[in-house]
Amino acid sequence: MSRVYNFSAGPAALPEEVLQQAAGEMTDWRQNGAGVMELSHRSKAFMSIAEEAEADLRELLSVPDNYAVLFLQGGASAQFGLIPMNLLGDKTNVDYVNTGQWSTKAIKEASKFAAVNVAASSEAGGFNTVPAQSEWTTFTDAAYLHITPNETIGGVEYGFVPDTGAVPLVADMSSTILSRPLDVSKYGLIYAGAQKNIGPSGLTVVIVDKSLFGKAATITPDAFNYQLQAAAGSMLNTPPTYGWYIAGLVFKWLKQRGGLDAMQQANKRKANKLYAAIDSSSYYSNPVTVDSRSWMNVPFICGDSKHDTEFLAGAVDAGLHSLKGHRSVGGMRASIYNAMPESGVDSLISYMAEFERTHG
Ligand SMILES: *Cc1c(COP(=O)(O)O)cnc(C)c1O
């Protein structure tokens, strides 16, 4: 069986070249007589893997030296609680912008630790856009302001980086990190579960301005204290070593392909094509306002929802997998992260056109 085009939102497709290399190194990494999964995280071999991965990520994102890059466990959802635990300090208020289901979850979790002010929300309109910053009502004394730059379920993405002045900007970049260049210096903290655009699930990347250290609540578990993990090189306890290694291979793959400028061009082209196909059709539609459409997750619905099952089954027959929309929204969703080649989007567009011809 050959590999399919996998449109899964996460865990998502990884570059085939990365998987091939990992397969080749599975039982013996560079003549160490053991695979990466079996190496001590403190061994020279693994330390070199870890350091190279961090250096490559720093290079890809041009991470300034005053930021720590952490390779942690727990997923983005654990960060929902760990962020207020680590960043609140002597403040009590935090600002959140609610643009969809992931923001909503982040707000709910943060509410256990802080007084959350929802500075803006697009919930009333069905989360189909990002509220303009001019409409936000923020606290002046917030410990930070949290956004979800790409809502993976709704397919809603910020077309701008908010200016939050002296208030640190915190961003859940799980489904958009590495899709294009990023000015890290505009953020206090960036976090991402790896399983969308970085590597396997089980790894969470946190990039944090070190000037935010020293504010952690005393109850913060050491393994989730950013400052302590930074001081220990993310090895205060056993890190997710295999995920870290695969992420490192993905970073190399990105560099070989021209880095994030090249990714930006490729991702923009893929997304534009798919939205153009949806917009020019009288059968498919996407509910998101044009300025807030995600490059990574493209939800769409058929003219008749009774066709959904048939659409999805036919897609599988055509080698187009995991197009079912999130259970909460229904319809279809094509996740087209870095590892989705343009040929996959082309195949999807052809399939959609043929399905419309016979069902529209
Ligand atoms: C997938 C996702 C999450 C949840 O990640 P977990 O690793 O499952 O906790 C949170 N935020 C966004 C934007 C996501 O896409």
Side-chain angles (χ1 to χ4, degrees):
M1 166 154 192
S2 63
R3 281 172 61 78
V4 300
Y5 290 122
N6 173 8
F7 293 90
S8 171
L14 283 163
E16 188 168 351
E17 295 90 336
V18 165
L19 296 175
Q20 296 286 5
Q21 184 175 344
E25 296 175 339
M26 176 64 78
T27 58
D28 180 12
W29 185 80
R30 297 193 195 169
Q31 260 103 60
N32 269 258
V36 175
M37 242 182 285
E38 309 164 291
L39 296 174
S40 162
H41 55 296
R42 312 218 182 264
S43 64
K44 233 172 95 187
F46 186 77
M47 289 297 277
S48 73
I49 290 171
E51 281 163 16
E52 209 165 307
E54 178 177 338
D56 285 336
L57 180 58
R58 283 183 176 276
E59 187 185 324
L60 283 165
L61 287 171
S62 307
V63 178
D65 288 342
N66 58 316
Y67 284 73
V69 175
L70 308 176
F71 292 81
L72 305 176
Q73 308 196 38
S77 300
Q79 296 302 322
F80 292 166
L82 297 168
I83 286 163
M85 268 191 173
N86 274 275
L87 302 187
L88 206 52
D90 55 12
K91 298 198 190 274
T92 51
N93 299 325
V94 291
D95 284 326
Y96 277 69
V97 177
N98 191 358
T99 46
Q101 297 201 29
W102 288 116
S103 314
T104 302
K105 287 192 174 162
I107 289 166
K108 184 160 176 251
E109 190 74 356
S111 304
K112 296 178 183 170
F113 306 96
V116 175
N117 167 49
V118 178
S121 172
S122 55
E123 187 170 10
F127 290 130
N128 70 340
T129 194
V130 175
Q133 196 181 353
S134 55
E135 296 162 18
W136 299 4
T137 314
T138 53
F139 278 132
T140 46
D141 63 340
Y144 60 84
L145 181 141
H146 181 282
I147 60 170
T148 309
N150 185 68
E151 289 283 357
T152 320
I153 294 170
V156 172
E157 186 156 15
Y158 279 65
F160 61 97
V161 181
D163 179 0
T164 52
V167 175
L169 178 60
V170 172
D172 175 1
M173 294 213 177
S174 295
S175 51
T176 183
I177 193 165
L178 299 176
S179 66
R180 75 204 77 182
L182 179 65
D183 183 353
V184 173
S185 71
K186 295 203 165 127
Y187 300 83
L189 186 146
I190 290 165
Y191 65 105
Q195 69 272 23
K196 279 59 184 259
N197 216 12
I198 296 179
S201 60
L203 169 69
T204 313
V205 171
V206 174
I207 302 172
V208 53
D209 180 347
K210 290 189 237 178
S211 73
L212 297 176
F213 287 169
K215 300 173 193 285
T218 48
I219 57 159
T220 309
D222 284 358
F224 289 123
N225 179 305
Y226 302 141
Q227 184 171 13
L228 297 180
Q229 280 288 16
S234 303
M235 296 198 192
L236 190 89
N237 64 324
T238 314
T241 53
Y242 200 74
W244 195 332
Y245 154 73
I246 297 284
L249 297 184
V250 171
F251 302 153
K252 289 260 183 267
W253 181 83
L254 289 170
K255 282 173 62 176
Q256 278 157 13
R257 292 171 64 97
L260 301 190
D261 286 317
M263 280 301 123
Q264 168 163 260
Q265 283 177 29
N267 287 326
K268 193 172 178 182
R269 210 170 45 236
K270 288 184 314 193
N272 283 347
K273 264 187 179 182
L274 187 48
Y275 285 115
I278 292 167
D279 290 344
S280 64
S281 141
S282 50
Y283 181 69
Y284 303 106
S285 61
N286 166 286
V288 180
T289 61
V290 171
D291 60 347
S292 300
R293 282 175 165 181
S294 169
W295 288 7
M296 297 281 101
N297 311 97
V298 182
F300 60 92
I301 55 167
C302 291
D304 183 344
S305 64
K306 287 202 283 296
H307 293 161
D308 286 4
T309 310
E310 201 188 325
F311 179 96
L312 292 166
V316 168
D317 290 342
L320 309 166
H321 284 222
S322 299
L323 282 163
K324 194 172 178 7
H326 190 268
R327 59 188 181 278
S328 63
V329 285
M332 265 54 75
R333 172 178 48 171
S335 294
I336 50 175
Y337 302 115
N338 289 341
M340 175 58 65
E342 191 166 339
S343 58
V345 175
D346 291 337
S347 293
L348 173 59
I349 291 170
S350 313
Y351 171 73
M352 288 168 69
E354 178 58 20
F355 190 85
E356 177 173 0
R357 199 181 62 74
T358 50
H359 295 76

